[in-house]
Amino acid sequence: MKDILMTVAFVAAFFMSACTTPGGNRLSAEQQVQITCEGIISTVRVLAGYRAAGELSKETVKTVSDLMPSTVKLCSGEVTDYASTLTTLQETAFILLTVKKGVES
């Protein structure tokens, strides 16, 4: 339970920090989508390393694989509604970070 709460806190901090720049300027929804996509890409790369090392279960591999087509589409720049895209990507990032945290525990 503690690990899940830490993951939730990490994800919340990540997305809250993505909302403003150090100078206090708000990032646009488009910029927030870009930052979230970069975080997802980074997490997927880490998970790919775990998969290559045989440290991911078949269920985990399926979960990640199922998320990828829609994520790739949303991160490819073919977005018209950045607000709903951001919500979807944040949910994906949460799932991936939870998976990553589970492997690293």
Side-chain angles (χ1 to χ4, degrees):
M1 181 67 162
K2 180 180 175 186
D3 289 335
I4 292 173
L5 291 175
M6 289 180 65
T7 301
V8 170
F10 173 73
V11 171
F14 173 77
F15 291 115
M16 291 185 77
S17 68
C19 293
T20 60
T21 64
N25 299 325
R26 293 211 39 93
L27 297 176
S28 69
E30 182 178 1
Q31 291 168 317
Q32 291 178 51
V33 165
Q34 181 181 2
I35 290 169
T36 305
C37 286
E38 289 171 6
I40 289 171
I41 291 166
S42 176
T43 304
V44 168
R45 285 183 181 148
V46 170
L47 291 174
Y50 286 128
R51 181 180 184 185
E55 296 183 30
L56 296 182
S57 68
K58 288 181 182 181
E59 294 82 19
T60 300
V61 171
K62 182 177 178 350
T63 297
V64 174
S65 295
D66 289 348
L67 290 171
M68 288 303 91
S70 61
T71 302
V72 168
K73 183 177 178 182
L74 293 175
C75 289
S76 70
E78 299 177 22
V79 175
T80 55
D81 181 0
Y82 285 99
S84 72
T85 296
L86 184 59
T87 299
T88 301
L89 290 173
Q90 287 173 339
E91 292 168 0
T92 299
F94 177 78
I95 292 166
L96 293 173
L97 288 170
T98 301
V99 166
K100 180 179 171 279
K101 184 67 177 171
V103 174
E104 293 174 343
S105 301

